[in-house]
């Protein structure tokens, strides 16, 4: 059974950092694209970042709103993907979800993702 579990969310002051973790079970993450999304109540879900590996290497992509502040990475041995978030802003406040594609895609279109975690709350506030 495919399962994704996020952790690492919390309350942080503006300018602070958090590292989100996404642990997978039931499948091997490095064969698929793994994305991070976020959603605020009343707004559409937003793609934040994605990581995908192939024989050509590992590629990443980021939303413009987080470029230079967030870094996605993976630990294949632990079957985990991380999202390091630095210089956090109040507008980063959201529930963050990790998700997996069915194929090794690099994408932030949520329709390409077939498995989702339950989400972890990130609140950036003073």
């Amino acid at each position: 059974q495919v399962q994704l579990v996020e952790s690492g969310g919390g309350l942080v002051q503006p300018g602070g950092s958090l590292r989100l973790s996404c642990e997978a079970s039931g499948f091997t993450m490095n064969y698929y694209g793994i994305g991070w999304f976020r959603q605020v109540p009343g707004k559409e879900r937003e793609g934040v970042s994605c990581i995908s590996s192939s024989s050509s290497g590992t590629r990443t992509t980021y939303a413009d709103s987080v470029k230079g502040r967030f870094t996605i990475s993976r630990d294949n041995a632990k079957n985990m993907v991380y999202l390091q978030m630095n210089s956090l802003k109040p507008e980063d406040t959201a529930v963050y979800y990790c998700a997996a594609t069915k194929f090794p895609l690099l994408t932030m279109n949520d329709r390409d993702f077939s498995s989702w975690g339950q989400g972890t709350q990130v609140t950036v506030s003073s």
Side-chain angles (χ1 to χ4, degrees):
Q1 181 180 359
V2 173
Q3 190 174 14
L4 296 168
V5 178
E6 304 93 337
S7 62
L11 173 64
V12 63
Q13 292 186 342
S17 298
L18 282 174
R19 189 178 80 156
L20 304 184
S21 300
C22 176
E23 183 174 13
S25 59
F27 74 107
T28 302
M29 275 185 153
N30 56 309
Y31 295 148
Y32 302 91
I34 304 296
W36 284 98
F37 293 80
R38 64 188 182 186
Q39 190 166 25
V40 175
K43 293 190 176 181
E44 290 188 359
R45 185 162 50 195
E46 175 190 16
V48 174
S49 183
C50 182
I51 187 167
S52 180
S53 298
S54 67
S55 57
S56 302
T58 297
R59 297 180 298 158
T60 60
T61 189
Y62 299 92
D64 288 342
S65 58
V66 306
K67 278 181 183 176
R69 300 188 298 122
F70 290 11
T71 303
I72 191 170
S73 62
R74 72 197 317 163
D75 185 330
N76 292 335
K78 295 182 178 179
N79 212 27
M80 294 189 70
V81 169
Y82 305 99
L83 185 68
Q84 178 66 44
M85 306 186 296
N86 298 329
S87 302
L88 283 161
K89 304 175 181 180
E91 51 264 43
D92 295 317
T93 296
V95 177
Y96 283 71
Y97 300 89
C98 72
T101 62
K102 285 187 176 180
F103 306 100
L105 292 174
L106 187 72
T107 175
M108 289 198 293
N109 184 337
D110 59 2
R111 297 181 180 180
D112 293 325
F113 292 82
S114 57
S115 300
W116 293 81
Q118 83 290 347
T120 185
Q121 176 71 46
V122 171
T123 303
V124 184
S125 175
S126 55

